[in-house]
Amino acid sequence: MLRCTARCPFIGYRWSVRPFVVLLERMPAMILHALFVGIAATAAMDFVAVIQRRCFGIQGLDYAMVGRWIGHLPKGQCVHHSIGASAGIKCERQIGWLAHYLIGIAF
């Protein structure tokens, strides 16, 4: 266990490394918790979209268009007049869904 205290020359009070050690010890659990919450929240959003489509006829988002936009970024094309009219790319639907969940986890 690392315990280090020192007097701060500018302020004059003692500080400890302990809070940083505790943070590092808890980091893996915090990361797993964030992953779980992000995935669960994104899945809940997708579940609500399915209910809206089946009960109210509200069309959900097409994540293939997100994948298409991401696929065109390496080619230097960021802006499209109509993303639907742009050329399709390989695995655009999978890229879009992966981006959807990665963004959900990040938030």
Side-chain angles (χ1 to χ4, degrees), residues 24-73:
L24 289 175
E25 289 172 350
R26 294 181 182 169
M27 190 70 70
M30 291 168 41
I31 290 171
L32 286 175
H33 181 74
L35 283 172
F36 174 75
V37 169
I39 291 169
T42 307
M45 186 179 100
D46 294 337
F47 178 72
V48 169
V50 168
I51 298 299
Q52 286 178 336
R53 183 177 63 235
R54 289 187 180 172
C55 294
F56 306 111
I58 298 172
Q59 186 62 32
L61 298 174
D62 185 6
Y63 294 110
M65 297 297 110
V66 176
R68 184 177 295 181
W69 179 75
I70 291 171
H72 282 283
L73 287 177

Side-chain angles (χ1 to χ4, degrees), residues 2-107:
L2 178 63
R3 289 199 183 250
C4 176
T5 59
R7 186 168 294 278
C8 179
F10 303 109
I11 303 172
Y13 66 87
R14 290 194 176 276
W15 61 274
S16 174
V17 179
R18 179 74 181 136
F20 301 108
V21 173
V22 170
L23 180 66
L24 289 175
E25 289 172 350
R26 294 181 182 169
M27 190 70 70
M30 291 168 41
I31 290 171
L32 286 175
H33 181 74
L35 283 172
F36 174 75
V37 169
I39 291 169
T42 307
M45 186 179 100
D46 294 337
F47 178 72
V48 169
V50 168
I51 298 299
Q52 286 178 336
R53 183 177 63 235
R54 289 187 180 172
C55 294
F56 306 111
I58 298 172
Q59 186 62 32
L61 298 174
D62 185 6
Y63 294 110
M65 297 297 110
V66 176
R68 184 177 295 181
W69 179 75
I70 291 171
H72 282 283
L73 287 177
K75 299 173 186 171
Q77 188 174 7
C78 183
V79 179
H80 303 264
H81 280 323
S82 171
I83 191 69
S86 297
I89 64 162
K90 184 179 176 183
C91 301
E92 64 186 24
R93 187 168 310 279
Q94 291 84 354
I95 293 169
W97 276 96
L98 179 65
H100 170 58
Y101 272 85
L102 289 177
I103 291 167
I105 291 168
F107 280 98

